[in-house]
Amino acid sequence: PQTGTITGSNGVTKKWCEKDVNTYAFYVQDEIEAGKWFIVPAIRYDHHSMYGSNTSPKLGVTYKVDDSFRVKANYGKGFRAPNIPQLYYNFRRLMGNSHVTLYGNPNLKAETSTSWDLGIEKEWGKANTTLTYFHTDADDFITSYQINGMTKEYEYRNLDSVKIEGIEHTLGYRFNDQWSFKVNSTWLNAKDKGNNQDLIQRAKLSQIYSLTFDDGKDIGWSAMLWDQFDYKYVTSTESKGSLIAGPKKSYNLLNFTLTRKVNKDTRVYGSVLNIFDKEDTDCDLDGRYWSIGWEHKF
């Protein structure tokens, strides 16, 4: 690989290098309808110049009990090679009100997994709900890991074996053509099976309560007010040079987005996240965050 240095306009000299990674993949899927059954078999082939080849089968099955009630099940194998940033990045960036330093790891292994889920979907009148149990076992799980308890320095690492399981539930209600309300809940049990520790930076229960307005016009307005509640968010604590699961904290964040639809393909929007300016370094809360944006579909 090529290497060198570059000096920016601020006079800071940084090292650079050039790396080559080649990947390609093939994906085949079929859809089979047989009475009340809908079956989707699929298979994916991945080839990576550093991590070799892998074949991942998947199967999805839906049984339609009636027009408003469905039962769904999915099973699949997964393969995820580290990307360029996870392998080689070394940068420091301002995120919120503090700087974060992220280090790549060229010794990362590819992640493999086996996942399955079972769920139901139901609608009645203006209301709808879903309930799903999910389970994943992953080997060489790729995650960012805080390596300095005093500063926000992270490095990508593999965990030998993890288990992630939980229950997802949604409950929605449409008041009329413009206003709707939804609650999304996720109960999570995520463990590093090597030491039976909780995976850090995840909440045991996460809920999002959202109130949405949309006037339904190509030239008009839409808005969303939502509150994110995290219960027993797993923080980290430093022990012998590495971080393990630490105290669990709970918090909620209020957020708002307003969108102006210029036409059916163009919109401008503004958002404010963490309206009440909560800060907690253990939970990666850096205070209020504003953004504006423009989006156009071609």
Side-chain angles (χ1 to χ4, degrees):
Q2 299 182 23
T3 61
T5 60
I6 187 171
T7 302
S9 57
N10 57 2
V12 176
T13 299
K14 298 180 179 180
K15 294 181 179 179
W16 67 270
C17 67
E18 182 179 296
K19 302 287 185 180
D20 290 322
V21 173
N22 297 306
T23 66
Y24 60 85
F26 298 97
Y27 184 78
V28 178
Q29 175 179 302
D30 193 14
E31 297 181 356
I32 304 169
E33 291 190 59
K36 294 186 175 183
W37 294 91
F38 183 65
I39 303 170
V40 183
I43 191 167
R44 178 185 174 98
Y45 173 81
D46 288 272
H47 180 79
H48 194 285
S49 58
M50 294 175 60
Y51 296 98
S53 301
N54 188 84
T55 302
S56 306
K58 294 184 178 181
L59 178 65
V61 178
T62 299
Y63 180 72
K64 185 177 179 181
V65 180
D66 56 40
D67 289 339
S68 64
F69 184 41
R70 296 169 296 281
V71 179
K72 293 187 171 184
N74 295 281
Y75 173 86
K77 296 283 189 178
F79 171 81
R80 183 164 70 102
N83 57 36
I84 290 289
Q86 292 169 338
L87 289 168
Y88 302 115
Y89 265 20
N90 183 345
F91 70 89
R92 188 169 185 261
R93 174 177 294 177
L94 181 65
M95 300 183 69
N97 297 322
S98 60
H99 283 88
V100 173
T101 304
L102 181 62
Y103 301 103
N105 181 357
N107 297 316
L108 285 175
K109 302 175 183 177
E111 176 186 316
T112 57
S113 61
T114 301
S115 303
W116 63 273
D117 61 71
L118 179 64
I120 57 174
E121 298 178 348
K122 172 68 177 176
E123 297 95 26
W124 65 97
K126 296 182 178 181
N128 62 84
T129 189
T130 67
L131 182 66
T132 303
Y133 171 80
F134 59 90
H135 184 107
T136 296
D137 290 299
D139 295 324
D140 297 317
F141 182 74
I142 301 171
T143 184
S144 60
Y145 206 80
Q146 192 172 4
I147 58 176
N148 190 321
M150 301 301 294
T151 61
K152 290 191 173 184
E153 295 185 41
Y154 295 84
E155 181 185 56
Y156 286 107
R157 294 186 182 179
N158 289 113
L159 299 180
D160 289 340
S161 182
V162 306
K163 177 182 72 174
I164 301 174
E165 63 178 347
I167 296 173
E168 291 182 340
H169 178 254
T170 66
L171 179 63
Y173 188 82
R174 177 166 290 278
F175 300 101
N176 52 42
D177 292 339
Q178 296 180 330
W179 292 92
S180 62
F181 179 77
K182 181 178 285 188
V183 182
N184 297 82
S185 304
T186 302
W187 292 267
L188 185 66
N189 178 38
K191 296 281 189 180
D192 180 348
K193 293 195 288 186
N195 56 20
N196 200 35
Q197 289 280 337
D198 290 320
L199 296 184
I200 62 175
Q201 299 175 320
R202 290 169 173 82
K204 290 294 185 180
L205 168 64
S206 183
Q207 291 184 303
I208 296 178
Y209 301 81
S210 59
L211 178 66
T212 302
F213 169 81
D214 192 330
D215 60 16
K217 301 176 182 177
D218 289 341
I219 302 175
W221 296 91
S222 66
M224 183 168 68
L225 178 71
W226 77 99
D227 185 87
Q228 175 184 337
F229 171 63
D230 281 351
Y231 175 71
K232 290 189 175 181
Y233 180 92
V234 182
T235 65
S236 57
T237 183
E238 192 166 16
S239 175
K240 297 180 180 180
S242 63
L243 295 186
I244 60 175
K248 300 178 178 66
K249 296 187 175 183
S250 301
Y251 60 87
N252 68 285
L253 305 174
L254 189 64
N255 315 277
F256 179 72
T257 294
L258 179 66
T259 301
R260 172 62 176 175
K261 293 172 283 185
V262 180
N263 54 50
K264 65 182 181 66
D265 296 319
T266 307
R267 68 187 187 106
V268 292
Y269 59 89
S271 296
V272 54
L273 308 181
N274 191 357
I275 291 174
F276 293 112
D277 199 27
K278 294 188 178 182
E279 296 186 18
D280 189 331
T281 56
D282 291 339
C283 300
D284 291 330
L285 301 180
D286 295 319
R288 188 182 300 113
Y289 181 79
W290 298 82
S291 65
I292 58 175
W294 172 83
E295 181 181 284
H296 179 76
K297 297 179 181 179
F298 294 94

